[in-house]
Amino acid sequence: IVVTGSDDRLWKMWAFPDGNILTTGEGHTEWLSGCCFRPSGTQLVTSSGDTTVRIWELSRRGCILTLKGHSRAVLGCSWHSCGDLVASASMDSTSKIWDVNSERCKCTMRGHKDSVNSIEFLPFSSTVLTSSADKTLSLWDSRTGLRVYTFHGHLHACNHATFN
């Protein structure tokens, strides 16, 4: 299975390798910037220019939760390996950790001076990695929302970062 998000405000699930479209999700009012499967594979999280993060139940083919709290476009999302936490990165210079069970923001990570362009959890850890247009990468503790370390050295915006 492959999932894509598009400027057409839709996400699509494709069969692999034949390329047939299995389902389409609609509900965002602006472009989609990211999508990530829940580790169990039963749900999907999407991020959008409409400032929201949405959780989709794949068996029902519908949005079951809309997370609101960012003031500008959400540029990326990531699901924690435990399946209970979602992270989002926004043009509002913040990142958020969301508890999907309580349907609330657990913490807001502040410290980047420009757009946060990507976010990713270190698997089986409370560590989160963000990349920013402020030319830095930061490591955060998702339990507290505190920055642990900042990497400096890029001359231009950092668009994405990932763990090995």
Side-chain angles (χ1 to χ4, degrees), residues 50-65:
D50 66 12
T51 74
T52 69
V53 175
R54 291 182 182 243
I55 309 291
W56 306 82
E57 183 67 48
L58 298 177
S59 63
R60 290 192 231 154
R61 298 182 182 174
C63 178
I64 58 168
L65 179 60

Side-chain angles (χ1 to χ4, degrees), residues 93-95 109-114 134 136 138 140 147 150:
S93 303
T94 71
S95 307
M109 298 176 291
R110 293 179 174 86
H112 282 296
K113 295 179 175 123
D114 206 337
D134 69 8
T136 67
S138 290
W140 307 83
R147 185 165 25 195
T150 299

Side-chain angles (χ1 to χ4, degrees), residues 45-137:
V45 61
T46 56
S47 53
S48 171
D50 66 12
T51 74
T52 69
V53 175
R54 291 182 182 243
I55 309 291
W56 306 82
E57 183 67 48
L58 298 177
S59 63
R60 290 192 231 154
R61 298 182 182 174
C63 178
I64 58 168
L65 179 60
T66 301
L67 301 169
K68 298 178 182 179
H70 285 292
S71 61
R72 295 190 62 201
V74 183
L75 299 179
C77 56
S78 178
W79 215 304
H80 189 276
S81 50
C82 73
D84 295 330
L85 301 174
V86 164
S88 59
S90 173
M91 286 180 72
D92 66 11
S93 303
T94 71
S95 307
K96 293 183 181 289
I97 305 296
W98 305 89
D99 182 323
V100 295
N101 296 318
S102 69
E103 303 181 0
R104 295 183 183 272
C105 178
K106 184 177 172 197
C107 67
T108 300
M109 298 176 291
R110 293 179 174 86
H112 282 296
K113 295 179 175 123
D114 206 337
S115 173
V116 184
N117 297 331
S118 74
I119 191 162
E120 186 171 314
F121 284 101
L122 177 63
F124 308 104
S125 165
S126 61
T127 301
V128 178
L129 175 64
T130 56
S131 67
S132 174
D134 69 8
K135 306 174 192 169
T136 67
L137 312 170

Side-chain angles (χ1 to χ4, degrees), residues 1-13:
I1 302 286
V2 173
V3 172
T4 58
S6 172
D7 282 353
D8 62 11
R9 305 176 185 173
L10 304 174
W11 60 264
K12 293 186 181 285
M13 185 181 304

